[in-house]
Amino acid sequence: MRTLLLLRGTVGSGKSTFIKKNSLEPYALEADKFRLLISNPKLTKFGDFEISQKNDRLAWEMLFNCLEERMKKGEFTVVDATHTTKKAMNSYKALADKYKYTIYYYQLDTPLEECIENNKKRESYKQVDENIISRMFRNIQNEKLSGSFKRIFDINEIINFYVDDVTEKYDKVRIIGDIHSCFTAISEIVKDFDKNTLYVFLGDFLDRGIEHKQTLLLMLNLYKKENVIMIEGNHEIHLENFANDFKINSKEFLNVTLPAILENEKNIDSFKREIRKFYKKLRQCYAFKFHNHKILCTHAGLSFVPNLALVSTNEMINGVGSFETEIGELYEENYLKGKCQDFVQVHGHRGVNSTEHSICLEGEVEYGGELKYLDVMPDKILQKSVINPVYDRDYLQHELEKAKENKQINLTVDEDVNKLIVSKLISVKKTKPNLYSLNFGRNVFRKKLWNDSTIKARGLFVDAETGKVKIRSYNKFFNYGENKYSTREYLENNIVYPVTAYEKYNGFLGILSVIDEKFVFATKSVTNGTHVKYFETLFEKASEKMKSEIFRICSENDVSIVFEVVSNEDRHIVDYFGKEHLFILDVIDNSLFINGVHVDNNFSERFLKELNFDDDVVKMKKEIKKCNNFDEIINLMENYDNFENAEGIVFCAENGLMFKYKAKHYNLWKKRRGILEFYRKDFNKAKLAGRYKDEQEFIEWLIELDNDKVENAHIIDLMNEYESKKK
């Protein structure tokens, strides 16, 4: 954290001993070590060696350069030097102000006689003349320091981070995720601002959204209130740089956000002063207790909770690991190992999964997603959100325009495809033969950021030069009740009957197309790799007639065929008893725009009829029944029990709208597979039982197994053994 500790004491007073005793060596900068970096000990006329003072200016310049590099990252630092004068102490003030540091000092009031005796015991080159020690001692005794420096008497005063107990102060605590200039959304959350509620904001107040000025003015109003805590995010640095006339490194802030917040501002200097005050109030983190809850708030999340004073501000603001690191899962593992001081952590910044003890409140609000917040009540914690209706609906076009200026980005000839390529929500990979693979990013999946663009990017492969679609899967469809696009209300308003129910097989997605007169096999994101090889090997076992017909249909009609690949090399949860099949699901036009919500039924069925003949490997998807109203759909889901053959049901309406249902038995064993994987990582019975309280019987059975069996047995084999025992 932004904490600077200055040791103060004469030579021989025990500064180095203090550092060793408190294990502060990794955090310490020692003046003498810098002197020795510049010059070896020098001979004296008295027949010994001494540390040269001739290069002091350079030595201190080096020390301060290193100190500033640490301060840029907000790292806790100890400076080991005598610091006997006010001038020496005051030399740190400018850096401390610049980087928002608090300066503490620990003064070693060792008696002069003891210091002199200790000096004699030092290595000869480290010894100092006794007169100099006496002068240092007098300076320390006589020179009183200003209030800028806070004296401590024990290292625990700054190492043991303060946890604010707000139980008696407030009725609830509301923690709010990344706002990103979404004034309309944040206004909804604070519209009934209550003095009996503590509001904690996790940072990233500006940029990306389109309501910059309104959002900033709201924050400038709120930060002054006693019941508001604001944490610094990674975007606040641009605001600080503007307010202090430092260089602004963000083109987005410089070209978009800044002009917006300066609009109609007549007194820029006054505006900057207010922003500087605001920035100084931003915290690096906030730890609090509320009734039985103990919560740590940071912007980006930690992997565990050490002594917080030793965690750099940079790690709190930008996070541990990369942006994609599953910090919640790491935190959960460390929590169960007792490494998190019993804190539930709450963070924003990165779109990762929440776990029981690590909650992520980042919801891509700036792209029309959610502004997430948490209400901490005396007896429970409630996760809530507000959908943002005010955002840049043409942001893909804007991103495309910016990309055209960046010559490092290779775009295609097709403008519609290029908009997908530049989207922050879509992952783009180069793959063979000369293709781009476009798939929605994992943040889209986790945060449900589905739109006309992201639903297309699933098993979508385009020519890297022309942008022509070469391989195509379905538009993304969802589990029943998973989001607003799969609720009963939405479906009843949008589906066209009859709705056909098909078995959903438990394998992996395989897509087959013909490019340059050759079969090209793909999964949802690549055209090579292990799973592609499984797919290709299994396809080779099909009859020549089937392979020939598939080749003809793909090459003559420029289509892709979508399969579910059930391979013995990639078993999941459903037991197919050694049988391997490629289940043909649908035939899809190689076009970005499908004539249907998810699939063009009429188009697909025309080709499926041509492939509906006997083959040992390639099989047609199995129809369960046709539903003529929604009650029939509900009844089928509630009574579906065909786990031996499928993981659930895929429903396809007459107009091409699709949704799916996962069987209860499948979901049960999917959870148990997670229990098994967690147990394999640690083999800790107590932690396993504590985490999965509702699965005690299965856990007790699992614990009784030999470790070798737990390590090596497949979940299907364990499932069969467990259910056989239960019978």
Side-chain angles (χ1 to χ4, degrees):
M1 295 183 66
R2 293 179 176 128
T3 299
L4 176 63
L5 175 61
L6 305 178
L7 299 187
R8 193 175 193 226
T10 69
V11 172
S13 60
K15 299 184 296 299
S16 298
T17 302
F18 174 85
I19 287 174
K20 290 178 182 178
K21 179 183 176 182
N22 293 288
S23 302
L24 297 175
E25 293 97 325
Y27 310 97
L29 300 175
E30 184 182 344
D32 275 350
K33 287 183 178 179
F34 284 92
R35 294 184 178 106
L36 290 170
L37 284 173
I38 299 168
S39 176
N40 291 340
K42 299 299 182 183
L43 294 175
T44 73
K45 61 183 180 182
F46 303 107
D48 54 16
F49 292 87
E50 68 179 7
I51 296 176
S52 175
Q53 306 290 318
K54 291 182 179 180
N55 298 300
D56 252 23
R57 179 174 292 183
L58 179 57
W60 279 101
E61 184 179 317
M62 290 170 60
L63 187 150
F64 269 81
N65 286 339
C66 290
L67 177 60
E68 184 165 13
E69 286 302 313
R70 290 181 175 222
M71 282 183 157
K72 287 177 183 177
K73 297 186 282 289
E75 296 182 342
F76 169 72
T77 303
V78 181
V79 180
D80 180 2
T82 57
H83 296 127
T84 59
T85 65
K86 288 182 181 180
K87 183 180 178 181
M89 296 287 283
N90 289 336
S91 62
Y92 298 93
K93 282 185 176 182
L95 281 178
D97 289 341
K98 183 177 180 180
Y99 296 107
K100 287 178 62 179
Y101 265 67
T102 303
I103 306 177
Y104 298 90
Y105 73 100
Y106 182 85
Q107 185 168 305
L108 293 105
D109 294 323
T110 310
L112 176 60
E113 294 77 10
E114 189 175 332
C115 293
I116 292 172
E117 284 303 310
N118 290 338
N119 178 61
K120 294 176 181 178
K121 299 174 184 177
R122 291 153 59 99
E123 295 92 335
S124 61
Y125 70 90
K126 288 186 176 181
Q127 292 180 17
V128 177
D129 185 274
E130 292 182 10
N131 291 325
I132 295 175
I133 296 175
S134 297
R135 188 174 67 249
M136 288 179 175
F137 188 86
R138 286 194 301 272
N139 282 342
I140 293 174
Q141 297 299 310
N142 296 329
E143 292 202 15
K144 304 299 180 184
L145 302 178
S146 70
S148 302
F149 305 95
K150 300 179 181 180
R151 185 172 182 178
I152 65 167
F153 295 89
D154 190 286
I155 191 64
N156 289 321
E157 293 179 48
I158 54 176
I159 296 297
N160 290 340
F161 190 78
Y162 175 70
V163 180
D164 193 9
D165 192 338
V166 298
T167 302
E168 302 299 325
K169 296 179 183 177
Y170 300 105
D171 295 336
K172 71 177 179 184
V173 181
R174 176 165 289 183
I175 307 171
I176 302 160
D178 300 25
I179 299 169
H180 281 303
S181 294
C182 296
F183 172 76
T184 301
I186 184 60
S187 294
E188 181 68 20
I189 294 174
V190 300
K191 65 179 181 181
D192 298 319
F193 191 86
D194 179 13
K195 66 180 182 179
N196 295 317
T197 297
L198 176 64
Y199 296 84
V200 182
F201 294 83
L202 296 182
D204 278 5
F205 306 110
L206 298 181
D207 295 333
R208 297 184 180 169
I210 60 175
E211 299 173 296
H212 308 289
K213 182 80 171 193
Q214 305 99 307
T215 304
L216 178 58
L217 292 177
L218 178 62
M219 296 299 108
L220 292 178
N221 177 55
L222 288 174
Y223 89 92
K224 301 171 184 177
K225 300 184 181 296
E226 291 184 1
N227 60 325
V228 170
I229 302 290
M230 291 192 176
I231 292 171
E232 182 179 351
N234 55 296
H235 282 258
E236 274 63 71
I237 187 65
H238 312 314
L239 197 63
E240 190 224 5
N241 287 341
F242 157 70
N244 289 287
D245 297 321
F246 300 152
K247 183 181 178 181
I248 298 172
N249 295 316
S250 168
K251 290 183 178 179
E252 178 188 9
F253 182 86
L254 197 60
N255 299 326
V256 180
T257 307
L258 185 57
I261 66 174
L262 291 179
E263 188 176 358
N264 298 322
E265 280 296 333
K266 296 179 181 178
N267 192 334
I268 303 298
D269 289 338
S270 175
F271 191 47
K272 286 181 177 180
R273 281 197 298 273
E274 186 62 26
I275 291 174
R276 289 196 293 269
K277 291 178 185 177
F278 166 73
Y279 184 75
K280 283 185 177 182
K281 289 280 286 188
L282 300 181
R283 303 197 185 197
Q284 301 157 81
C285 66
Y286 181 60
F288 70 92
K289 292 180 180 177
F290 183 67
H291 295 274
N292 294 323
H293 309 294
K294 187 180 178 184
I295 295 176
L296 171 65
C297 299
T298 63
H299 177 63
L302 305 177
S303 54
F304 70 104
V305 185
N307 291 329
L308 285 171
L310 305 181
V311 179
S312 73
T313 303
N314 182 64
E315 289 174 312
M316 292 180 179
I317 292 176
N318 295 299
V320 176
S322 67
F323 186 81
E324 293 78 18
T325 298
E326 286 291 347
I327 201 70
E329 295 177 10
L330 293 175
Y331 191 89
E332 193 68 26
E333 290 180 17
N334 286 320
Y335 186 96
L336 295 171
K337 293 176 182 176
K339 299 176 68 175
C340 297
Q341 300 186 43
D342 297 325
F343 279 112
V344 172
Q345 81 161 347
V346 184
H347 68 90
H349 183 63
R350 50 177 141 200
V352 296
N353 287 327
S354 294
T355 61
E356 184 178 355
H357 300 101
S358 182
I359 301 170
C360 177
L361 296 182
E362 212 295 312
E364 299 281 359
V365 63
E366 66 271 31
Y367 301 123
E370 305 169 301
L371 179 50
K372 295 183 177 182
Y373 64 102
L374 208 66
D375 276 348
V376 184
M377 315 294 286
D379 58 339
K380 58 187 174 182
I381 297 177
L382 301 176
Q383 296 191 48
K384 302 178 179 180
S385 65
V386 171
I387 299 295
N388 177 33
V390 183
Y391 64 100
D392 181 6
R393 298 177 185 276
D394 297 319
Y395 82 94
L396 285 181
Q397 183 62 44
H398 299 153
E399 290 297 316
L400 178 57
E401 291 169 0
K402 287 189 286 185
K404 288 178 178 178
E405 300 175 1
N406 186 349
K407 297 181 180 179
Q408 294 180 339
I409 298 178
N410 296 317
L411 300 173
T412 73
V413 176
D414 191 299
E415 291 288 288
D416 291 317
V417 170
N418 289 341
K419 287 181 183 179
L420 301 183
I421 290 174
V422 301
S423 172
K424 295 182 177 73
L425 305 179
I426 293 173
S427 172
V428 182
K429 296 179 183 177
K430 188 72 181 292
T431 189
K432 297 179 181 180
N434 194 34
L435 302 173
Y436 284 141
S437 164
L438 280 68
N439 277 273
F440 57 81
R442 61 181 182 174
N443 285 349
V444 173
F445 182 79
R446 290 166 182 160
K447 301 175 191 176
K448 301 177 175 57
L449 302 177
W450 303 110
N451 54 41
D452 291 341
S453 299
T454 53
I455 65 166
K456 294 185 182 80
R458 181 181 184 270
L460 176 64
F461 298 80
V462 302
D463 187 278
E465 295 178 2
T466 66
K468 172 73 175 66
V469 177
K470 293 293 187 178
I471 307 174
R472 182 74 154 95
S473 179
Y474 299 109
N475 286 342
K476 172 66 178 175
F477 60 94
F478 307 99
N479 294 317
Y480 178 68
E482 180 181 352
N483 56 32
K484 62 182 180 182
Y485 300 110
S486 59
T487 61
R488 177 165 183 167
E489 181 182 8
Y490 178 87
L491 294 170
E492 284 195 296
N493 289 332
N494 290 278
I495 57 177
V496 176
Y497 295 101
V499 176
T500 307
Y502 299 96
E503 286 191 347
K504 185 180 190 314
Y505 303 100
N506 190 211
F508 65 88
L509 181 73
I511 320 165
L512 186 56
S513 189
V514 173
I515 302 175
D516 297 331
E517 298 299 308
K518 293 181 181 178
F519 279 127
V520 179
F521 299 82
T523 60
K524 68 176 184 178
S525 60
V526 294
T527 56
N528 53 19
T530 303
H531 284 80
V532 172
K533 192 65 179 176
Y534 295 158
F535 180 19
E536 187 175 357
T537 301
L538 194 52
F539 184 76
E540 286 299 317
K541 298 178 182 178
S543 67
E544 291 301 320
K545 180 182 179 183
M546 178 61 73
K547 289 189 282 191
S548 177
E549 280 297 293
I550 288 176
F551 185 90
R552 179 187 63 78
I553 289 173
C554 289
S555 58
E556 290 182 0
N557 300 281
D558 192 18
V559 298
S560 298
I561 300 181
V562 183
F563 297 83
E564 189 76 9
V565 183
V566 176
S567 167
N568 289 331
E569 301 294 332
D570 187 55
R571 301 163 73 203
H572 295 256
I573 292 177
V574 177
D575 193 354
Y576 289 98
F577 305 99
K579 296 179 180 178
E580 296 184 300
H581 292 298
L582 298 175
F583 292 100
I584 297 180
L585 304 180
D586 276 294
V587 179
I588 299 181
D589 186 25
N590 285 334
S591 168
L592 195 60
F593 305 98
I594 299 175
N595 184 25
V597 179
H598 297 104
V599 62
D600 188 334
N601 273 329
N602 294 330
F603 183 88
S604 180
E605 288 174 4
R606 176 160 59 91
F607 297 109
L608 293 181
K609 289 176 182 178
E610 299 178 29
L611 296 171
N612 192 16
F613 53 85
D614 290 338
D615 188 275
D616 291 337
V617 175
V618 180
K619 301 291 184 182
M620 202 62 62
K621 63 182 179 181
K622 181 180 178 182
E623 180 179 324
I624 301 173
K625 70 172 292 184
K626 290 188 184 299
C627 302
N628 295 302
N629 56 65
F630 212 87
D631 286 338
E632 290 184 16
I633 294 172
I634 294 293
N635 185 63
L636 180 59
M637 289 190 292
E638 289 178 348
N639 295 286
Y640 182 78
D641 188 20
N642 191 26
F643 185 71
E644 289 186 359
N645 298 305
E647 69 176 65
I649 308 169
V650 172
F651 294 93
C652 185
E654 186 70 17
N655 60 340
L657 192 151
M658 299 172 68
F659 63 100
K660 53 192 174 183
Y661 166 77
K662 300 289 185 69
K664 295 177 182 174
H665 192 266
Y666 171 83
N667 283 329
L668 173 65
W669 280 98
K670 187 176 180 182
K671 180 182 180 181
R672 288 174 176 173
R673 184 176 64 183
I675 294 173
L676 174 64
E677 291 171 352
F678 184 83
Y679 188 41
R680 283 171 172 169
K681 290 181 180 179
D682 198 338
F683 285 101
N684 189 307
K685 301 175 183 180
K687 291 175 184 177
L688 187 71
R691 185 172 185 177
Y692 302 99
K693 297 177 183 178
D694 59 331
E695 283 279 3
Q696 289 302 306
E697 193 172 346
F698 173 70
I699 291 170
E700 288 172 7
W701 176 81
L702 188 64
I703 290 171
E704 291 175 358
L705 300 178
D706 292 334
N707 285 354
D708 185 64
K709 188 171 187 176
V710 173
E711 279 286 358
N712 299 303
H714 195 278
I715 185 64
I716 290 177
D717 301 320
L718 294 176
M719 176 180 68
N720 291 335
E721 183 177 339
Y722 181 75
E723 293 194 333
S724 175
K725 179 185 177 181
K726 294 288 288 183
K727 289 179 182 178

